[in-house]
Amino acid sequence: MQTKQRVFSGIQPSGASHLGTYLGALKNWVAVQEEYESYFCIVDLHALTVPQDPKVLRANVREMAAIFIAVGLDPERSIIFRQSRVAEHTELGWLLNCIARVGELSRMTQFKDKSQKGGAESASVALYDYPVLQAADILLYNAHLVPVGEDQRQHLELSRTLARRFNSLYGETFVVPEPMILETGARVMALDDPTRKMSKSSPTPGGYVSLLDEPDVTRRKIRRAKTDSGSEVTASPEKPALTNLLGIYAGLTVQSVSGIEDQYQGKGYGDFKKDLAEVVVESLSPIRERTLELLDDPRELDGILEAGAEKAREVARSTLHHTWARMGLD
Ligand code: AMP
Ligand code: TRP
């Protein structure tokens, strides 16, 4: 019997998890795990939509698992697993491909952005189809809530559309999931260019703070972060850089942006950045240290992922069978 509502979310194991991933996703996952039956997935099949070195991918999956636990996800409470180990994701993905429309996928801005880089002609078919696999991830567990950053809103809308379409074609089958996108931290921008999202594929390492950066590297990146003209520490549309830095400060402390603005009245950017650097280092150092400790025992991490996959498979199997029956595949 399912008693609690479910949460599902995923992160790609493509290296260099950063402040954006932490504030936009991981931190909120930790907050919801008490209240919901939670599924947190390392979406390795999604990572394969762009070329990956097998050795690096293998290492990144473990690193991601270590980060999950280091930020505070509890494998006793939450189901932590890797996508490729639960074959039902790709099976349901195919079934959903049969109701998803080319027009819908063609409108996905992430595909447009990513495929533009190498040319749409040579982008993988999987990169195009990626949002359908994402919908399968979520619908397979009948998740009610999906905590993600702002950049996933459009993908989540497609998951909702596919759930509704399936239900109306074949009868009530899937829960229509709600995105959970918090105001603070939903869109952390690059430190060296506040018009760009902080991203793993950021061309300049100065643009992001990795969760595994050494404290001095973090301090330097914050110190060098771009600021706006003027000298007051305030958030406003004319001050995109300061707005971003204030958002990071607020996301990592329990303070509101306006409270922080008050605190820095009459002080300059330099003072603010110095304190922000310490806030970031204090928040991330324990995560970094715990991750490195956990990486010393890869077997333990593999065991956690395998145990999680076993539990996930049970739920996934049952949803898939139900879906088969609805479609006449039983
Ligand atoms: P990814 O690392 O691209 O798989 O993203 C993992 C999660 O982190 C997703 O929920 C994203 O929406 C979120 N995320 C990634 N980058 C940022 C960012 N710069 N600001 C806020 N959230 C982000
Ligand atoms: N597309 C998401 C990202 O790049 C990762 C993802 C895959 C995901 N499947 C998901 C997120 C299901 C939430 C739910 O960040």
Side-chain angles (χ1 to χ4, degrees):
M1 244 305 267
Q2 188 186 333
T3 48
K4 286 185 177 176
Q5 288 207 328
R6 292 206 181 116
V7 155
F8 183 97
S9 199
I11 293 196
Q12 296 191 44
S14 20
S17 279
H18 51 72
L19 256 182
T21 351
Y22 180 63
L23 290 176
L26 290 168
K27 184 169 164 269
N28 305 325
W29 298 7
V30 176
V32 294
Q33 70 175 344
E34 309 263 326
E35 222 180 303
Y36 292 84
E37 183 182 316
S38 306
Y39 294 77
F40 297 121
C41 188
I42 301 173
V43 290
D44 48 3
L45 297 176
H46 277 96
L48 284 173
T49 56
V50 295
Q52 300 285 340
D53 176 332
K55 269 202 223 89
V56 176
L57 180 62
R58 212 172 277 130
N60 282 344
V61 167
R62 282 202 182 123
E63 186 180 286
M64 206 66 239
I67 288 177
F68 276 18
I69 293 164
V71 297
L73 296 179
D74 175 2
E76 299 288 318
R77 185 169 301 180
S78 299
I79 296 172
I80 295 172
F81 67 108
R82 89 195 257 202
Q83 187 184 29
S84 60
R85 291 303 177 272
V86 181
E88 286 78 2
H89 288 245
T90 42
E91 295 187 52
L92 182 62
W94 182 262
L95 302 181
L96 295 179
N97 270 331
C98 298
I99 63 162
R101 297 173 185 164
V102 169
E104 287 163 342
L105 292 182
S106 304
R107 283 195 289 277
M108 293 290 146
T109 55
Q110 187 168 312
F111 174 72
K112 288 192 212 162
D113 291 349
K114 284 199 181 178
S115 61
Q116 242 168 21
K117 285 185 192 152
E121 281 291 312
S122 59
S124 70
V125 173
L127 188 66
Y128 183 68
D129 197 32
Y130 172 121
V132 178
L133 182 60
Q134 178 164 353
D137 297 339
I138 298 167
L139 303 190
L140 205 44
Y141 300 94
N142 278 309
H144 299 83
L145 205 62
V146 185
V148 284
E150 179 62 42
D151 60 353
Q152 295 302 310
R153 193 182 287 280
Q154 196 186 24
H155 289 161
L156 259 288
E157 203 40 64
L158 180 76
S159 299
R160 291 167 57 77
T161 302
L162 295 181
R164 283 200 214 95
R165 184 172 303 147
F166 192 99
N167 290 347
S168 76
L169 285 169
Y170 297 106
E172 273 315 301
T173 308
F174 296 117
V175 169
V176 180
E178 294 284 342
M180 174 188 168
I181 300 171
L182 300 189
E183 219 174 283
T184 328
R187 194 168 171 79
V188 178
M189 309 308 279
L191 297 176
D192 55 352
D193 178 0
T195 62
R196 268 190 316 115
K197 190 180 73 165
M198 185 179 285
S199 137
K200 288 175 184 170
S201 46
S202 167
T204 50
Y208 64 86
V209 173
S210 157
L211 297 185
L212 304 183
D213 274 345
E214 287 182 19
D216 277 341
V217 173
T218 302
R219 288 191 183 96
R220 194 175 340 122
K221 286 182 180 177
I222 303 276
R223 204 177 336 118
R224 292 192 184 159
K226 199 165 180 242
T227 47
D228 308 290
S229 54
S231 60
E232 276 167 42
V233 180
T234 48
S236 74
E238 297 76 51
K239 290 200 172 200
L242 264 290
T243 304
N244 188 41
L245 297 180
L246 279 160
I248 293 173
Y249 197 123
L252 293 175
T253 59
V254 284
Q255 286 170 270
S256 66
V257 168
S258 64
I260 304 165
E261 285 173 341
D262 290 347
Q263 195 181 317
Y264 286 93
Q265 239 181 22
K267 296 188 187 162
Y269 291 161
D271 286 332
F272 170 67
K273 285 214 262 180
K274 214 159 129 221
D275 293 351
L276 175 62
E278 293 317 308
V279 166
V280 176
V281 166
E282 250 172 60
S283 311
L284 300 192
S285 287
I287 296 175
R288 174 174 182 272
E289 281 158 26
R290 183 86 183 100
T291 303
L292 297 179
E293 253 171 50
L294 287 159
L295 282 170
D296 276 342
D297 192 352
R299 279 185 183 216
E300 160 108 19
L301 294 171
D302 293 350
I304 290 171
L305 292 180
E306 199 33 64
E310 233 166 81
K311 291 187 210 151
R313 251 179 242 131
E314 257 177 60
V315 176
R317 201 79 213 137
S318 144
T319 312
L320 187 70
H321 277 259
H322 190 48
T323 314
W324 279 346
R326 291 289 202 203
M327 298 180 94
L329 295 170
D330 51 337

